Amino acid sequence: MSDCPYCDPPEPATGGWVHSDEHWLVAHGPAETTMAGALRVTSRRHYTDFAEMTRAEAESFGRLLTRLDAALRAVTDAERVHAVSTRDRVQHFHAWLYPRPASHPLRGTDFLNAPQRTTSAEAERTAAEVRAQLTTQHMVAGE
């Protein structure tokens, strides 16, 4: 059994899986440390760095980020969706998406470094709305 917490993750406490496929699991971040709409994209396979992605993982990661960006903009009214992937604490490939509303006073790394939080109810609602947006995108694209 692996000691990696992302290799066999439990069902997310907030909002269930926003998206899951053969390569990726997407969940809303914890309400006490992220704003509504903050999503963690985690690889199903254990590896750490971008360079270790298979071609299929890399291609699907790009497509997924595009879909999540559009869904987050629609649901949260974000002006920007910031993507961050350090993999320093948990050495398993994952990236975070943080929607920044146009009305937020901070930009760039100042925004990313500022404390974030939301309510559990708001995180649940946002996760459900992003999931619905992804389903709509899927149906419109005929996939």
Side-chain angles (χ1 to χ4, degrees):
M1 175 154 222
S2 171
D3 60 352
C4 174
Y6 289 174
C7 277
D8 188 21
E11 182 78 14
T14 304
W17 295 116
V18 172
H19 171 83
S20 65
D21 63 29
E22 66 182 300
H23 300 294
W24 307 104
L25 294 169
V26 180
H28 196 286
E32 61 276 3
T33 59
T34 61
M35 67 187 328
L39 301 176
R40 186 182 72 217
V41 180
T42 306
S43 65
R44 284 191 180 263
R45 185 173 68 84
H46 185 83
Y47 60 94
T48 306
D49 296 311
F50 282 96
E52 297 173 80
M53 285 183 184
T54 65
R55 183 179 193 160
E57 288 164 338
E59 290 172 354
S60 67
F61 184 67
R63 286 190 305 271
L64 179 59
L65 289 185
T66 300
R67 293 180 62 213
L68 291 170
D69 184 275
L72 283 169
R73 286 172 185 260
V75 169
T76 66
D77 200 29
E79 180 177 42
R80 296 282 179 272
V81 176
H82 296 284
V84 177
S85 182
T86 61
R87 301 159 318 273
D88 285 336
R89 276 192 228 151
V90 178
Q91 294 187 9
H92 180 118
F93 187 87
H94 63 288
W96 284 91
L97 300 179
Y98 297 99
R100 183 194 47 78
S103 62
H104 201 285
L106 301 176
R107 299 289 186 267
T109 54
D110 290 336
F111 166 75
L112 292 169
N113 289 330
Q116 297 184 13
R117 59 185 258 230
T118 190
T119 65
S120 292
E122 184 66 10
E124 294 273 346
R125 181 194 64 75
T126 305
E129 288 182 8
V130 170
R131 188 179 311 103
Q133 280 288 320
L134 292 173
T135 299
T136 301
Q137 289 173 7
H138 195 59
M139 291 169 53
V140 169
E143 298 173 348

